[in-house]
Amino acid sequence: MPKRKKAVLSPAKILTFGFAMVITLGAFLLSLAPATAEGHRLGLIDAFFTATSAACVTGLTVVDTGTHFTVFGQVVVLLLLQIGGLGFTTVGTLISLAFNRRISLRERLVLQESLNHHQIGGLLPLILRVMAYSLTIEATGALLLFVRFAQDMPIGQAIYFGIFHSVSIFNNGGFDLFGRIYGPFSGLAAYASDPFVNLVVMLLIFLGGIGFIVIADLLGYRQNRRLSLHTKVVLTMSGILTAVGAIILLLIEANNPHTLGPMNGVDRIFASFFHSISSRSGGVSTVPVADMEQSSQFLLILLMFIGAAPGSTGGGIKITVFAILLGAMYAMMRGNRDIIFFRQRLPKASIIKAITQTWLAMFLVITVAMVLSALEDAPFLTLLFETTSAFATAGMSLGLTPELTEISKVLLSAVMFLGRIGPLTLAYAINSGTKKELLKYPEGKIIIG
């Protein structure tokens, strides 16, 4: 009898199932009695939502992390944030290397898919550098935040808060513990006028959002004396989006008595830049986003949808995809056939992938927002904001998430999951395999414009 072929999972399927397993384990641990304060045990849906939000480094919460969870529950959230930020494949590879286990070719392909790396060569050294960068940045952030928090709380609590928030913010997780001190869902409001905390948090969000490949490229610049096209595009677009977003927020919110209005000029500038950076996956805020003008909220929706860089801890359609879309528009308006960035031409496959990814994301966000509008009694802009935040794993909220019905929480959990692994990755996981085209059809013409 002929031997049956052993079923082999594709890298996309392994990524999808792996994240699902991490979320399931996290939900189980958070549903245990020791994870929550006495009398506040989480139901399965809320535990699943919280685990999904942490593993997908989103930051949307149905309960206040600082007051609802015990130290055990908070540590579970912290571990999910770390695994979700680095990627479970990265963590698994590091464990395998620690036990001197050989990394197979298939595992290397999964790592390549997870990190969005363009080649399979040099992956293991990159993984080691990723861990080194992450731990160094998180340790530095924890130390800096500890120095500031120690002025407001006991030393032990300041150490714990420094570690938790450095890991959460660098991984663009958006979870915070300040509800224990300043009241539930207070966020970083107490430090809205603190330039030191603002700068440290913005730097952590920025480093987590540009991606490990860009960080490696920057650190190697002294030796190589050149930056890759990917790094140039990511840094350029990050700077433009941050500056434009901050200026628009400052102009709109300057006279809003509930947000920037009561602040002085310097604090307004800090708050504007803070939310422009944080909206692209950071998930933390120093002023109440729910009290912003609707035009500001819509701007944040756009920034969240664009998101961070590929290979980073952030979500969204990715900043490089947005750059390609802008490049395509500019090239078409100039009558050019090619998209040129920094004197380099982009391949057609990258353009098609960018357009596909954008349409899949738009279809997902709009469809889910419409479904939520039928399930929830809330303004459509609020529902669109929460849905975009879930997809982009941004974590910003207008305060609706804790009030959602059970079915809406499950729906947003699915959106967070899709946003973290990427709609295209899920499509590849569902697809049984690519078929080789045997025919090349004749070219046809469609009238456009």
Side-chain angles (χ1 to χ4, degrees), residues 217-232:
D217 205 16
L218 289 173
L219 291 177
Y221 178 75
R222 181 176 293 182
Q223 181 179 358
N224 301 325
R225 288 297 172 184
R226 66 184 184 85
L227 296 175
S228 67
L229 175 62
H230 172 79
T231 296
K232 291 177 182 178

Side-chain angles (χ1 to χ4, degrees), residues 138-156:
E138 289 173 354
T140 304
L143 178 62
L144 293 173
L145 291 176
F146 156 72
V147 171
R148 177 61 186 87
F149 294 158
Q151 301 174 28
D152 301 330
M153 57 189 75
I155 298 297

Side-chain angles (χ1 to χ4, degrees), residues 33-166:
T36 51
E38 189 175 350
H40 293 87
R41 187 169 180 174
L42 280 182
L44 286 177
I45 298 296
D46 286 344
F48 178 73
F49 186 96
T50 305
T52 304
S53 182
C56 297
V57 287
T58 304
L60 289 176
T61 55
V62 290
V63 295
D64 179 69
T65 310
T67 56
H68 201 93
F69 291 108
T70 61
V71 173
F72 170 74
Q74 292 166 5
V75 170
V76 171
V77 170
L78 188 64
L79 290 174
L80 289 172
L81 287 167
Q82 187 71 83
I83 294 171
L86 289 175
F88 80 94
T89 52
T90 303
V91 176
T93 301
L94 289 167
I95 294 173
S96 297
L97 291 174
F99 286 96
N100 292 320
R101 179 178 171 274
R102 183 176 174 274
I103 308 301
S104 68
L105 176 61
R106 177 155 295 279
E107 290 169 331
R108 292 169 191 259
L109 289 171
V110 175
L111 284 170
Q112 183 184 12
E113 180 82 15
S114 175
L115 292 171
N116 282 311
H117 199 43
H118 60 278
Q119 60 185 19
I120 197 169
L123 274 175
L124 295 185
L126 176 61
I127 290 294
L128 295 176
R129 291 200 302 270
V130 164
M131 177 56 75
Y133 300 155
S134 299
L135 293 181
T136 301
I137 294 170
E138 289 173 354
T140 304
L143 178 62
L144 293 173
L145 291 176
F146 156 72
V147 171
R148 177 61 186 87
F149 294 158
Q151 301 174 28
D152 301 330
M153 57 189 75
I155 298 297
Q157 188 178 27
I159 294 173
Y160 178 54
F161 269 49
I163 294 172
F164 186 97
H165 291 96
S166 180

Side-chain angles (χ1 to χ4, degrees), residues 156-424:
Q157 188 178 27
I159 294 173
Y160 178 54
F161 269 49
I163 294 172
F164 186 97
H165 291 96
S166 180
V167 173
S168 175
I169 293 168
F170 171 69
N171 288 293
N172 286 191
F175 283 79
D176 71 85
L177 304 177
F178 290 106
R180 184 191 301 183
I181 302 175
Y182 304 108
F185 303 106
S186 55
L188 290 170
Y191 297 96
S193 300
D194 190 314
F196 183 80
V197 173
N198 274 259
L199 285 173
V200 172
V201 171
M202 284 191 289
L203 186 59
L204 286 172
I205 295 173
F206 174 77
L207 290 174
I210 60 176
F212 300 112
I213 296 172
V214 174
I215 295 175
D217 205 16
L218 289 173
L219 291 177
Y221 178 75
R222 181 176 293 182
Q223 181 179 358
N224 301 325
R225 288 297 172 184
R226 66 184 184 85
L227 296 175
S228 67
L229 175 62
H230 172 79
T231 296
K232 291 177 182 178
V233 171
V234 167
L235 294 179
T236 302
M237 289 305 302
S238 294
I240 292 173
L241 286 174
T242 298
V244 171
I247 291 171
I248 296 175
L249 283 174
L250 182 62
L251 292 174
I252 297 174
E253 298 294 326
N255 296 318
N256 187 337
H258 303 293
T259 55
L260 305 187
M263 297 181 177
N264 60 42
V266 175
D267 291 344
R268 287 178 183 177
I269 293 173
F270 266 111
S272 299
F273 273 93
F274 186 97
H275 289 84
S276 180
I277 292 175
S278 183
S279 61
R280 290 190 298 106
S281 275
V284 289
S285 57
T286 56
V287 298
V289 180
D291 292 333
M292 287 185 175
E293 303 290 346
Q294 287 191 351
S295 51
S296 296
Q297 293 171 356
F298 188 72
L299 172 65
L300 294 181
I301 288 174
L302 296 177
L303 291 174
M304 288 190 295
F305 187 76
I306 294 169
S312 72
T313 57
I317 61 171
K318 305 304 181 188
I319 197 169
T320 48
V321 169
F322 182 67
I324 290 174
L325 296 178
L326 288 181
M329 180 179 68
Y330 179 77
M332 183 60 66
M333 292 172 64
R334 293 289 300 270
N336 298 332
R337 285 181 170 272
D338 298 316
I339 299 176
I340 309 296
F341 286 153
F342 298 98
R343 297 183 179 179
Q344 295 186 58
R345 175 172 53 86
L346 296 187
K348 294 290 188 279
S350 296
I351 302 169
I352 294 173
K353 186 175 180 180
I355 294 171
T356 303
Q357 191 161 310
T358 303
W359 273 111
L360 285 173
M362 287 181 63
F363 179 78
L364 174 66
V365 169
I366 293 172
T367 301
V368 172
M370 290 175 64
V371 172
L372 287 178
S373 68
L375 298 173
E376 304 291 336
D377 183 17
F380 186 76
L381 182 65
T382 302
L383 296 170
L384 182 62
F385 192 100
E386 304 290 307
T387 305
T388 307
S389 181
F391 164 74
T393 66
M396 281 193 168
S397 175
L398 299 185
L400 177 66
T401 303
E403 309 299 326
L404 292 173
T405 58
E406 301 290 86
I407 188 171
S408 295
K409 291 176 184 176
V410 172
L411 191 58
L412 279 190
S413 296
V415 174
M416 287 188 284
F417 182 75
L418 284 172
R420 184 64 181 97
I421 66 171
L424 271 179

